Amino acid sequence: MRRSLLACVVLSIAALALPMSANASVEQSMVDSINAVRAEHGVAPVQHAPRLSRSCSAYAKRMLKSRRWAHANSTRVAGFRGVAEILARTPRRTAPGPVIRMWLNSAVHRKVLLGNRYRHVGVGTKTGRMGGKRTTLWVVRFAR
């Protein structure tokens, strides 16, 4: 028992030392959480698509810069079809769990999150000021 606990601590510390940006780890955590929820509901996992994530991050940045929080007029991303977008806005950077629960409680967002036609996912987050308050924007795009 003691050895396995020590191994977990060592692995956790080693994971913290990985050269990964804070956004990348938060985004990967969201992808992992999305796939865990999909598995709980008997839906196949989605694969992380870096190109989709770049488009999500760019859109989150654009929303902060323009101070306008809304779905994109066009969610076309080269190489993908059938792109669906879900957004969230939180007062601070948070773990994916509360954001996913929020989406699951909305019929429209739940349909996208658990949609079995999607095979790819991209995640982008940006934190800044919007409406005079510190805000984290989440942009998640699913695609076939």
Side-chain angles (χ1 to χ4, degrees), residues 9-53:
V9 170
V10 169
L11 288 174
S12 297
I13 292 169
L16 291 174
L18 291 175
M20 184 182 280
S21 76
N23 271 359
S25 64
V26 167
E27 292 163 3
Q28 186 58 54
S29 181
M30 177 60 87
V31 171
D32 295 343
S33 296
I34 287 169
N35 281 327
V37 167
R38 289 172 66 90
E40 287 173 17
H41 290 86
V43 182
V46 286
Q47 292 181 337
H48 178 246
R51 184 180 296 161
L52 278 174
S53 286

Side-chain angles (χ1 to χ4, degrees), residues 86-102:
I86 56 178
L87 306 175
R89 181 177 173 180
T90 58
R92 65 188 178 284
R93 185 169 296 242
T94 185
V99 177
I100 289 178
R101 280 192 297 280
M102 198 168 46

Side-chain angles (χ1 to χ4, degrees), residues 71 85-87 103-104 106-114:
H71 286 285
E85 173 181 87
I86 56 178
L87 306 175
W103 288 328
L104 287 172
S106 159
V108 173
H109 295 96
R110 181 185 184 89
K111 184 177 178 179
V112 173
L113 187 64
L114 301 177

Side-chain angles (χ1 to χ4, degrees), residues 23 56-58 60-61 64 93 124-128 135-138:
N23 271 359
C56 293
S57 293
K61 183 178 179 180
L64 280 173
R93 185 169 296 242
T125 63
K126 292 292 178 199
T127 299
T135 301
T136 296
L137 301 181
W138 295 81

